[in-house]
Amino acid sequence: DGGITQSPKYLFRKEGQNVTLSCEQNLNHDAMYWYRQDPGQGLRLIYYSQIVNDFQKGDIAEGYSVSREKKESFPLTVTSAQKNPTAFYLCASSILPGNTGELFFGEGSRLTVL
Amino acid sequence: GENVEQHPSTLSVQEGDSAVIKCTYSDSASNYFPWYKQELGKGPQLIIDIRSNVGEKKDQRIAVTLNKTAKHFSLHITETQPEDSAVYFCAARGYGGSQGNLIFGKGTKLSVKP
């Protein structure tokens, strides 16, 4: 089945450690996105990529990094510089970047910093 | 940039009643307004959307209305069922480039009591 796969579903990290969240899609979508979800805060955009080897900062990019070496993959690294990393992270993709294309979301990764 | 306000943050209804969720947006250039439903532990899924050249759209028990003059749009769910219980997000999108990313409201947790 086509879709977006995020892994791991749950992740625990000690303070000071970097962690990478995986996002893979087999929908042949050009655009991919990372959102952070906190209780009562909705979805906030971290980074997005409209094409391979190119990505842009979203509204809350500080403390995060991404890469887009392949069309189907858009991993997110939460660095030790992120002051409050505990959150639910959602990856999404769409056919048409910057247009009215539907976003398809993965099932999310919950990161907890101990 | 765009700002989306969503109300109420929580909504509880009896099965069979109607539910209404309202959103306002700030950027008059926004032209696309989707609604996403997020079930517990999963990623959001698009349930209905509306473009700025349309005032109302229906899909079975779900409808969305748009008032461009007042810059607000609403989700209407009729004959609610327990499986409608979820968090609902509204969003708005401008046209093209960095303005083309969705801005989400903070979500409404809908509970439908049997």
Side-chain angles (χ1 to χ4, degrees):
Chain A
D1 283 4
I4 297 183
T5 302
Q6 290 187 240
S7 63
K9 195 169 180 70
Y10 299 96
L11 187 61
F12 297 89
R13 185 194 97 176
K14 293 182 179 179
E15 281 192 24
Q17 289 181 335
N18 292 354
V19 61
T20 298
L21 307 180
S22 171
C23 179
E24 303 279 330
Q25 55 102 354
N26 60 4
L27 300 169
N28 199 32
H29 287 172
D30 288 309
M32 296 187 74
Y33 311 79
W34 274 104
Y35 287 90
R36 171 177 170 144
Q37 185 174 17
D38 296 285
Q41 292 296 316
L43 304 175
R44 294 182 290 170
L45 184 64
I46 304 172
Y47 267 98
Y48 64 100
S49 168
Q50 297 185 347
I51 196 170
V52 174
N53 292 322
D54 185 57
F55 48 83
Q56 306 295 329
K57 292 182 179 181
D59 299 321
I60 56 166
E62 185 175 351
Y64 299 97
S65 65
V66 294
S67 63
R68 188 84 187 279
E69 297 177 0
K70 298 185 295 182
K71 186 176 184 178
E72 59 271 22
S73 180
F74 191 42
L76 173 74
T77 297
V78 184
T79 75
S80 56
Q82 169 50 235
K83 296 179 180 178
N84 186 21
T86 295
F88 189 56
Y89 292 89
L90 285 161
C91 179
S93 70
S94 68
I95 296 175
L96 300 173
N99 209 315
T100 59
E102 175 183 354
L103 285 180
F104 292 81
F105 285 88
E107 296 208 331
S109 293
R110 185 169 297 281
L111 172 63
T112 302
V113 174
L114 303 174
Chain B
E2 178 64 278
N3 182 52
V4 176
E5 299 283 341
Q6 183 172 347
H7 299 280
S9 56
T10 60
L11 179 60
S12 181
V13 300
Q14 287 295 133
E15 183 177 359
D17 288 349
S18 295
V20 180
I21 303 170
K22 299 181 179 181
C23 290
T24 60
Y25 61 99
S26 60
D27 188 352
S28 57
S30 290
N31 59 4
Y32 175 64
F33 308 92
W35 286 88
Y36 283 81
K37 175 184 180 181
Q38 185 178 28
E39 296 178 349
L40 193 63
K42 297 192 174 183
Q45 280 191 306
L46 179 71
I47 56 171
I48 195 167
D49 57 13
I50 191 167
R51 288 165 174 74
S52 58
N53 59 346
V54 175
E56 182 176 3
K57 184 177 180 180
K58 289 183 179 179
D59 183 3
Q60 299 182 334
R61 297 186 296 107
I62 294 174
V64 57
T65 59
L66 172 65
N67 183 326
K68 287 174 57 180
T69 302
K71 290 189 284 188
H72 67 69
F73 56 112
S74 300
L75 177 70
H76 304 253
I77 306 174
T78 59
E79 300 174 18
T80 54
Q81 301 168 4
E83 52 263 38
D84 294 328
S85 297
V87 178
Y88 292 81
F89 293 96
C90 63
R93 172 179 276 161
Y95 179 78
S98 61
Q99 300 303 316
N101 290 315
L102 283 174
I103 303 298
F104 286 87
K106 293 185 177 182
T108 297
K109 183 176 182 180
L110 174 64
S111 300
V112 180
K113 298 180 178 180

